[in-house]
Amino acid sequence: RPPGRGPPAGAGQRGGVPVEVIDPSRPMSRVHLVVEARADGGTTATDPGSGNGSVVVRAGQRHPLVRDVPFELAAGDRLALGDVIVDVA
């Protein structure tokens, strides 16, 4: 599911479902992040090249995502999309 400022077109191109994220403090990319649930039960987050980047916070450590490189998510992770924080369950 690609979250972002206006993700419908980008979500369709990636076979996903758009999730609009509003960050009043700064602009968000149209497709800021792609979250994929895999058949094996795992979940990854991939930044497709957002302007401000995406970060996974795990156990207090920040892991900036590298463009187009999937990052394996775990329960308890936090996704930082600008000033918006999304908790991973």
Side-chain angles (χ1 to χ4, degrees), residues 14-59:
R14 292 170 175 79
V17 177
V19 177
E20 186 172 8
V21 176
I22 306 295
D23 182 350
S25 67
R26 61 177 141 172
M28 180 93 48
S29 298
R30 288 196 184 277
V31 177
H32 193 91
L33 186 74
V34 176
V35 177
E36 181 179 7
R38 297 190 322 265
D40 67 4
T43 304
T44 59
T46 306
D47 187 322
S50 66
N52 292 318
S54 302
V55 174
V56 174
V57 180
R58 178 177 288 161

